[in-house]
Amino acid sequence: MKKFLLGVLAGLIAAGMVAVIVVFAAIKLGQREPSLPDSFVLNLRLEGSLAEVQTTAPPLPSMAEQEPLTVPELYTVFERAAKDPRVKGVYLKPAGIGAGWAKVEEVRRGIERVRKAGKPVYAWLRSPRLKEYYIAAAADRVYLSPEDMLDVKGMRIEATYFKGTLDKLGVKMEVEHAGKYKDAGDIFTRTSMSPETREAMTSILDDLYARVLAGVAAGRGKTADEVRALMDEGPFLAPVAKSKGLVDELNYENVARKALADKAKVKESALVKDRAYLAAGYAPKTKGKRRRVAVLVAQGDIVRTGSTSMFGEEMLLEPGKMSSLAREIGSDRTIDAVVVRIDSPGGDAVASDEILAAMKELSKKKPLVVSMSDLAASGGYYMAMTGDPVVAEAGTLTGSIGVIYGKPNMKGLYEKLGMSADTITRGKYAGIDSAVEPLTPEGRAKLREGVDFIYSGFLRKVAEGRRKKVEEIEPNAQGRVWLGAQARERGLVDELGGLSKAIEMASAKAKFGKDDDVRLSVYPRKKSFIEQLLNLPDGSAAKANPAAAWIGSKAPAGTAAWLNGGMLRVMPFSVDLN
């Protein structure tokens, strides 16, 4: 029996060693640069949230090949494809786009760069909604499956309110805020939009809808009024979509690919996947110098203490991590300029201030430009106030200069459940954040002091960053969310554009030559599978607040910051315009 057990143990150890060797061999094999044909069509997948950064790498190359490209990777691919003589055309297949309209505009701009280089771009759609169609409309030719439907019918905003549910549970939210539009607490205290919320949301919807109509019109050779009238007829069955001129041809994917190959004059089999193309690299012939631009991604809810998943994937945006990255970039002599890329609804007031301080220190060491993605609101806007140029997409949600504090009063729920709480306090305001007692008038006044103090500081930091007087900023504050185009009209951002525009401005600020070869280095860097295994987190942050750790990756933007409590610079709602 003993020999049998030893044999089993030896077999398990041997099998484990073989498995490790196989994994290492697969990883090593996957690190080899793939060889590319002399001429080919680039196959570009566009799906999911179009993340700004992926901090963890899959363990096997086959899994890595399935990862959608991040926004900086998309920028690199489009830039290379426009210049690379081997790339004869680009094939697009947008599906299930969960990104906001700012990232969608970034993709369209990349398509335009390729087309301006004289290379055809074809798109094939499967069950497209408005975002997928908006991207495809920028292509030379749009295909749709013959039995499919084009699900475009305008845009809408829906807001969900929980006051009725909380009333039934016996829970009441106590909320104090600075700014009449800072209405994050309304989802807990109202049953419908306030007049201020409806005003702001109507303005955002009207402005963005007009821009989408104009974009579709430009791509399809129609007027904006014609597209507006068509939207009122949607959604469209495939034959109707073609008859209305919204798509060019009803056919299957293999037909669309062959048509592009014929147009590009390459073999039908010469189709290179986006990740294979990215991995192969491209070194253009240039007389200039090679330059490095760091893209520091600030993505997620801002909290004082961050959290990680099992393999170290960043869920939240916290000052310790951002300060460390800023120091690393600032001390790296090979980095010539920095773009801080923000995609955040804000969060904790103190944490956002600490991140701003780190960004200011970085700005002293490197030429810096701020680039706003889908979201750079409240604390996300606050951290952009370094005094450097700020670039936003027309569809970026930004601003929301305001402060809010909220806590639940669950006394009614306790009574419904037959529970009770007995409290002993020392100090007049010791019970100010009690979850079982309402705020007293004195307690509310004390909280009001804190909210007003932080709001005044917010206004002051924005005024400093924008080089304006507080009196000029305050009318555009009040917690109101603006689209990037609206923010520029009000002096809250400097330029309209995406990551490409920010890189262009950072390059000019760093005085790059026109022939210089600009390469991106994205931070935080992606950890390899081995690094993940050798550096498993201890989970202390998640243990400190497991609810916030889980919600940080699952719930709507800003929720994790609410769970952590305290004074918040957080966007008042989560907006998904479809």
Side-chain angles (χ1 to χ4, degrees), residues 184-196:
D186 284 6
I187 63 172
F188 305 116
T189 61
R190 295 180 57 91
T191 58
S192 62
M193 293 183 188
S194 68
E196 293 81 8

Side-chain angles (χ1 to χ4, degrees), residues 101 130 134 152-156 202-216 224 227-232 483 577-578:
W101 288 97
L130 185 56
Y134 186 62
V152 296
K153 51 186 180 294
M155 303 173 78
R156 72 175 184 272
T202 299
S203 174
I204 286 173
L205 184 60
D206 287 344
D207 193 296
L208 187 55
Y209 190 46
R211 291 180 182 279
V212 170
L213 294 176
V216 172
V227 176
R228 187 185 297 273
L230 282 171
M231 287 288 181
D232 290 338
L483 285 176
L577 285 157
N578 283 307

Side-chain angles (χ1 to χ4, degrees), residues 53-59 64 67 275 308-314 524-529 531-532:
V53 66
Q54 292 167 343
T55 58
T56 59
E67 279 192 325
R275 284 222 167 269
T308 57
S309 68
M310 184 175 66
F311 290 118
E313 181 182 3
E314 300 296 328
R525 292 190 180 93
K526 183 185 291 187
K527 292 181 180 179
S528 70
F529 181 66
E531 287 176 317
Q532 297 165 43

Side-chain angles (χ1 to χ4, degrees), residues 16 143 161 193 223 263 274 349 380 399 423 425 461 470 529-530:
Y143 287 77
Y161 293 85
M193 293 183 188
T223 67
K263 176 71 174 178
D274 46 23
T423 308
T425 63
K461 290 293 176 70
V470 170
F529 181 66
I530 301 303

Side-chain angles (χ1 to χ4, degrees), residues 153-356:
K153 51 186 180 294
M155 303 173 78
R156 72 175 184 272
I157 292 177
E158 291 182 351
T160 303
Y161 293 85
F162 303 102
K163 183 180 185 300
T165 302
L166 296 180
D167 287 346
K168 291 179 179 180
L169 293 173
V171 177
K172 180 180 179 181
M173 282 295 294
E174 306 268 9
V175 177
E176 283 294 318
H177 60 90
K180 64 181 181 179
Y181 296 97
K182 200 67 176 181
D183 46 8
D186 284 6
I187 63 172
F188 305 116
T189 61
R190 295 180 57 91
T191 58
S192 62
M193 293 183 188
S194 68
E196 293 81 8
T197 299
R198 187 170 295 278
E199 175 194 350
M201 290 296 95
T202 299
S203 174
I204 286 173
L205 184 60
D206 287 344
D207 193 296
L208 187 55
Y209 190 46
R211 291 180 182 279
V212 170
L213 294 176
V216 172
R220 300 306 301 169
K222 299 178 181 295
T223 67
D225 287 339
E226 287 174 333
V227 176
R228 187 185 297 273
L230 282 171
M231 287 288 181
D232 290 338
E233 299 179 30
F236 303 90
L237 297 173
V240 179
K242 185 177 184 302
S243 69
K244 297 290 185 180
L246 295 173
V247 300
D248 296 294
E249 188 171 334
L250 304 182
N251 226 315
Y252 301 100
E253 185 174 7
N254 63 321
V255 176
R257 286 181 175 178
K258 186 179 185 307
L260 178 56
D262 292 343
K263 176 71 174 178
K265 298 179 181 179
V266 301
K267 294 180 180 179
E268 191 176 345
S269 59
L271 190 72
V272 174
K273 293 182 178 179
D274 46 23
R275 284 222 167 269
Y277 179 63
L278 194 64
Y282 172 58
K285 294 180 180 179
T286 176
K287 297 177 182 178
K289 299 177 181 178
R290 177 167 291 187
R291 302 287 194 172
R292 280 183 70 201
V293 174
V295 178
L296 176 53
V297 176
Q299 179 176 262
D301 293 4
I302 300 173
V303 296
R304 296 190 197 185
T305 303
S307 177
T308 57
S309 68
M310 184 175 66
F311 290 118
E313 181 182 3
E314 300 296 328
M315 293 180 182
L316 304 169
L317 185 57
E318 54 96 14
K321 179 67 174 178
M322 289 299 294
S323 297
S324 177
L325 290 171
R327 287 192 298 271
E328 179 183 349
I329 294 169
S331 61
D332 190 336
R333 294 182 179 180
T334 67
I335 292 175
D336 303 293
V338 181
V339 171
V340 177
R341 177 75 170 173
I342 302 174
D343 193 12
S344 172
D348 183 86
V350 175
S352 57
D353 186 60
E354 292 175 2
I355 293 174
L356 173 59

